[in-house]
Amino acid sequence: MADTATTASAAAAASAANASTDAPPFQLGKPRFQQTSFYGRFRHFLDIIDPRTLFVTELWSAQKIKQAILHPDTNEKIFMPFRMSGYIPFGTPIVVGLLLPNQTLASTVFWQWLNQSHNACVNYANRNATKPSPASKFIQGYLGAVISAVSIAVGLNVLVQKANKFTPATRLLVQRFVPFPAVASANICNVVLMRYGELEEGIDVLDGDGNLVGSSKIAARHALLETALTRVVLPMPILVLPPIVMSMLEKTALLQARPRLLLPVQSLVCLAAFGLALPLAISLFPQMSEIETTQLEPEIARATSSRTVVYNKGL
């Protein structure tokens, strides 16, 4: 009865809110904005990553909060730091650390470890959870992701240090861009290793009425490919724009006269870049992706009369 009352309350609250906006009528369990267009997905994920959802209690009053907090497969609450709405608040300090100038070997290892640890937990918490995933798979994926990130970052830093043709100023500038290829490459490893079980077991695909059609390894490959692409696009603005902006801001009279402002300014620049990059990246593909049954396993195509089926891509 409590759940029914909560759902009714959420529907009523959302309907009242929609009355004063240009949003479509509230539909329980349906996205507020159309997911067939990039703009619709962009507006949808702006809602999902809203940090205000981190402070919601056991009850919720709108569909937005439900989508931001609960996993779509398990309907269980996602731990706060690993929600999409927590990605920016908890991830920005890590990005600032990754972009600190004059990194030592120890600091490079630390920030790459912390970044991939956070990413691994986010990937696992927002995976397709239609199949059980043992803890051993998580540990194997986590170790593989961290090792790959640290190895790539340290290797690139060593190459830059040994590049005798670089002036000290150029070497410092190049080092600032090292985190991007390291993070982008490691992000792909992170997604694949953390969710490799989906490739082995397949993921559930549903018809237009939400009925389970079967378990598809081909759909799992599509899901991991789409998620991996978002993880390559995501760090581009975050790790490329701040070094460019900071290289210009550092030459201003204000920051040259007040070097203590460098870290706060860099933090704000990273926060702005993160806030832009996250909704752009995860809006590239719908979370509930659609695929034609003719592209899937023959047994899946035979099990339904629907021309297409949907699956949870994960975030």
Side-chain angles (χ1 to χ4, degrees):
M1 291 297 292
D3 288 342
T4 302
T6 300
T7 300
S9 174
S15 297
N18 286 337
S20 61
T21 68
D22 60 349
F26 176 79
Q27 290 180 286
L28 186 63
K30 299 292 184 181
R32 184 180 184 186
F33 305 105
Q34 289 292 331
Q35 297 295 285
T36 54
S37 68
F38 174 82
Y39 180 66
R41 296 194 294 270
F42 181 73
R43 294 188 68 184
H44 170 73
F45 283 113
L46 281 177
D47 273 352
I48 296 301
I49 69 168
D50 189 341
R52 290 174 296 179
T53 60
L54 295 174
F55 304 101
V56 173
T57 60
E58 290 297 324
L59 299 179
W60 54 89
S61 61
Q63 181 75 10
K64 166 185 174 178
I65 298 172
K66 173 182 178 295
Q67 291 174 329
I69 292 177
L70 303 183
H71 192 285
D73 293 331
T74 64
N75 283 323
E76 295 179 354
K77 281 206 306 183
I78 299 173
F79 185 45
M80 185 185 294
F82 309 142
R83 299 174 195 166
M84 280 295 137
S85 55
Y87 207 8
I88 294 174
F90 289 94
T92 298
I94 300 175
V95 171
V96 173
L98 286 169
L99 295 176
L100 288 174
N102 301 314
Q103 296 267 13
T104 64
L105 177 62
S107 65
T108 298
V109 171
F110 172 76
W111 289 114
Q112 288 292 341
W113 163 77
L114 188 60
N115 181 55
Q116 289 306 319
S117 296
H118 183 235
N119 285 344
C121 292
V122 170
N123 288 336
Y124 184 79
N126 294 278
R127 73 196 185 284
N128 179 298
T130 56
K131 301 292 182 185
S133 181
S136 60
K137 294 289 185 182
F138 171 82
I139 295 173
Q140 291 173 9
Y142 167 73
L143 292 176
V146 170
I147 291 172
S148 64
V150 172
S151 300
I152 294 169
V154 171
L156 289 174
N157 271 319
V158 170
L159 288 176
V160 171
Q161 290 291 347
K162 291 185 176 181
N164 297 324
K165 295 181 180 180
F166 290 159
T167 64
T170 303
R171 183 178 291 110
L172 177 61
L173 181 62
V174 172
Q175 280 182 318
R176 282 182 159 177
F177 289 98
V178 165
F180 170 65
V183 169
S185 303
N187 280 356
I188 297 175
C189 297
N190 200 318
V191 169
V192 174
L193 292 171
M194 293 302 302
R195 297 175 56 180
Y196 187 76
E198 297 174 30
L199 297 176
E200 294 180 324
E201 302 292 333
I203 58 176
D204 288 350
V205 293
L206 312 173
D207 62 18
D209 298 322
N211 300 314
L212 177 63
V213 176
S215 184
S216 171
K217 295 181 180 180
I218 296 175
R221 289 203 297 269
H222 279 259
L224 261 67
L225 176 61
E226 291 168 351
T227 305
L229 286 174
T230 65
R231 293 301 191 270
V232 173
V233 173
L234 176 59
M236 285 182 184
I238 301 172
L239 298 177
V240 173
L241 288 180
I244 295 174
V245 173
M246 289 305 299
S247 65
M248 294 185 292
L249 293 179
E250 287 170 357
K251 298 175 183 178
T252 63
L254 175 64
L255 291 184
Q256 286 186 344
R258 298 173 176 84
R260 291 184 178 180
L261 292 178
L262 281 172
L263 185 57
V265 170
Q266 180 167 323
S267 300
L268 291 175
V269 171
C270 290
L271 179 62
F274 213 150
L276 170 68
L278 183 58
L280 284 174
I282 60 180
S283 298
L284 291 175
F285 305 99
Q287 182 171 1
M288 297 303 296
S289 292
E290 188 175 71
I291 187 171
E292 294 187 1
T293 52
T294 54
Q295 298 181 36
L296 301 179
E297 293 86 345
E299 60 270 21
I300 299 290
R302 291 194 298 266
T304 180
S305 58
S306 298
R307 187 176 63 85
T308 62
V309 292
V310 297
Y311 58 88
N312 176 19
K313 170 184 68 69
L315 291 177

